[in-house]
Amino acid sequence: SSRKLDRRRFVGTTALGVTAAALGTSLLGERFTDLGPATPPTQPFELDEITIAQLQDGMRSGKWSSSSITRKYLERVAAIDRPSGRPDLAALRRGEGQYLNSIIELNPDAMAIAEECDRERKEGNIRGPLHGIPILIKDNIESADRMRTTAGSLALEENVAARDAFITSQLRKAGAVILGKTNLSEWANFRSTHSTSGWSGRGGQTKNPYALERNPCGSSSGSGAAVAANLVAVAVGTETDGSVVCPSSSNGLVGIKPTLGLISRSGIIPIAHSQDTAGPMARTVTDAVILLGVLAGVDTTDTATAASRKHASPDYTKYLDPRGMKGARIGVARQYFGFQREVDELMEEAIRTMKRMGATVVDPANIETNGKFDDTEGTVLHYEFKTDLNKYLAGTPAAVRSRTLEALIQFNEEHKAEEMPFFGQETFHKAQESGSLASSKYKEALAKNHKLSRAEGIDATLAKHKLDAIIAPTGGPAWPTDLVNGDHFTGGYSSASAVAGYPHITVPLGFAFGLPVGISFFAGAWSEPVLIKLAYAFEQETNARKPPTFAARAILL
């Protein structure tokens, strides 16, 4: 996603109920916005950098229970993410204070769910690797409980879903404890051409835990910041173009944007059906692929998932091979370099590492169609957003007053002080002016997108150089959050994979000025097994992730 669509805008796609027992107060339904002074954590957190396997071992041995783990995470949220107490809307919208503000709403039933998981465990019923594990989902993913699904907009504050999104039900079946919902760039960064990633009218500004004045990137900003800050082990984000991989890169995480159709989109507030997908965000490749296996599955209400029947795996951990780089042919997409010196240096070191691990590196291996479908991507997204969002809104509860894009535009005008203090809704207007999906303009743009990103793009590059995968820098170090001018996206990779609907994995690459950056591995449709193998081998060799320091600002000297 982008301004042109450069990725800033989506770096796309997408009431706090605090458990009374854990935090001593119930704020279900309040806009949780007190961002006054806070002290970043100085004491080690017991669950810092812990993995799903380690949490399971702890529950197996009796060291912890799901209830005790959930309580610890809730206390962590209260300490560093957002305080208890009355909200201060003005402070939150200004992004004041040192709280992370990554969670828009906590699940008032989280402790009860954890207790039920503990009962099941005692009876010998363990549903799988996520049993009893707290997880966060983005606030554009429906959950049939006491939480809302709002895409960060005050217009959807009454949107209490009647049913779970398919992926939410997958998580529940797996025994996960849905701890809450994460803040996001409002409407998954598809409202304005001058937006600030991580800001929403309902949730305010999310911060980057590596340097609080820096941006977490969008639109899965809250999911990225929360996992990086050890508020949970794993979270779910969504992407239209860049919105899983950019916040993962900016927050020192592994992010997986899967092949379109591997994960169901039903029950997720849409941008565009030809590009939207959910994806896992985690601190390790192993945890990301555990979550990927749970989220994947054929959903009869999302026809795109039918194609995954031959390709999906309930267990992607079988592709984790520390020797996975040996014998691989890796192409270097040089065209995405050159925007930041330190990132280039880190990429050169990564290339040397891959060669040392036994890979053949083809350099350069550029995508010749890069940049040739930017305009048509924008056209397709505007058309699909209008159609898909109107369809979604028509199915929301009667209490939701804004049930068309046109009504949303009107709502924002009427609530300008709350919804548009920093940026407008130019993208909404552009989408509203679009025609129907039957129009030749839309059909031609979509066909051009697919031809240039697939057959003449990624597929052609892979075939020409006989590659297993292509690498590129995912993005640069996080820019300072700037509510006056909006995002300052500097460079990186996401669009070809997003437009093609092909998989893309980002893994921590290293640090520039104390800020994390990621490396992208991408290839053709349904290549998740190969990408997982390569990403895991690289991660195991480099161990580039370091936990955040919650510094006030980036380290410049």
Side-chain angles (χ1 to χ4, degrees), residues 86-381:
R86 295 296 301 175
D88 178 353
L89 279 171
L92 180 114
R93 291 207 174 84
R94 290 192 300 269
E96 291 176 355
Q98 291 181 305
Y99 289 102
L100 277 184
N101 199 41
S102 67
I103 295 172
I104 203 166
E105 182 168 1
L106 282 169
N107 186 354
D109 303 314
M111 288 301 299
I113 296 167
E115 287 159 9
E116 179 59 29
C117 289
D118 290 334
R119 277 194 292 275
E120 289 185 2
R121 186 177 291 273
K122 280 179 188 162
E123 293 164 5
N125 176 20
I126 297 171
R127 299 176 182 221
L130 284 187
H131 188 99
I133 303 290
I135 186 169
L136 288 163
I137 62 176
K138 189 174 174 181
D139 182 40
N140 58 353
I141 301 169
E142 291 189 332
S143 58
D145 49 28
R146 290 195 277 163
M147 292 188 289
R148 292 146 181 78
T149 306
T150 71
S153 172
L154 300 174
L156 292 192
E157 278 193 309
E158 304 307 318
N159 189 28
V160 179
R163 64 184 70 83
D164 280 337
F166 180 84
I167 60 171
T168 308
S169 73
Q170 291 284 89
L171 290 167
R172 293 197 206 276
K173 281 185 213 162
V177 178
I178 298 176
L179 193 72
K181 295 196 175 182
T182 55
N183 196 23
L184 69 164
S185 311
E186 187 175 308
W187 295 108
N189 241 346
F190 205 72
R191 197 191 83 190
S192 172
T193 54
H194 297 85
S195 61
T196 298
S197 288
W199 188 92
S200 71
R202 182 172 171 236
Q205 181 64 49
T206 297
K207 299 182 178 171
N208 189 309
Y210 287 88
L212 298 171
E213 45 101 26
R214 298 269 152 175
N215 197 271
C217 200
S219 68
S220 305
S221 325
S223 296
V227 175
N230 288 280
L231 303 183
V232 282
V234 289
V236 181
T238 66
E239 173 163 330
T240 303
D241 186 339
S243 282
V244 164
V245 295
C246 185
S248 294
S249 174
S250 295
N251 289 280
L253 301 179
V254 175
I256 303 178
K257 198 287 288 186
T259 304
L260 192 81
L262 184 64
I263 295 176
S264 168
R265 300 158 300 179
S266 63
I268 301 176
I269 297 175
I271 287 181
H273 60 265
S274 66
Q275 293 183 208
D276 288 353
T277 181
M281 300 169 72
R283 292 185 295 271
T284 67
V285 174
T286 302
D287 284 357
V289 302
I290 287 170
L291 180 52
L292 182 67
V294 169
L295 297 176
V298 176
D299 172 15
T300 54
T301 64
D302 182 355
T303 54
T305 62
S308 74
R309 199 180 297 276
K310 298 174 185 171
H311 302 284
S313 172
D315 180 15
Y316 283 93
T317 62
K318 63 188 176 187
Y319 302 113
L320 298 171
D321 180 1
R323 297 170 302 282
M325 199 63 73
K326 191 171 178 62
R329 284 180 64 85
I330 309 289
V332 180
R334 280 274 156 194
Q335 65 216 107
Y336 302 109
F337 288 53
F339 60 88
Q340 216 266 354
R341 182 188 63 191
E342 286 75 13
V343 172
D344 284 352
E345 290 170 358
L346 289 167
M347 287 297 296
E348 298 304 342
E349 179 59 33
I351 291 166
R352 288 191 289 272
T353 299
M354 290 178 203
K355 288 176 179 175
R356 194 172 65 245
M357 294 172 72
T360 299
V361 176
V362 179
D363 185 4
N366 285 329
I367 298 169
E368 293 177 8
T369 55
N370 178 56
K372 294 180 180 175
F373 46 84
D374 289 349
D375 291 344
T376 46
E377 181 187 9
T379 298
V380 166
L381 298 185

Side-chain angles (χ1 to χ4, degrees), residues 26-37:
S26 175
L27 294 166
L28 180 64
E30 293 211 32
R31 290 180 212 152
F32 205 95
T33 53
D34 178 1
L35 284 189

Side-chain angles (χ1 to χ4, degrees), residues 35 44 57 120 293 307 324 354 361 374-375 427-428 458 468 490 557:
L35 284 189
D57 286 345
E120 289 185 2
M354 290 178 203
V361 176
D374 289 349
D375 291 344
T427 306
F428 270 15
I458 293 171
D468 294 295
T490 53
L557 294 173

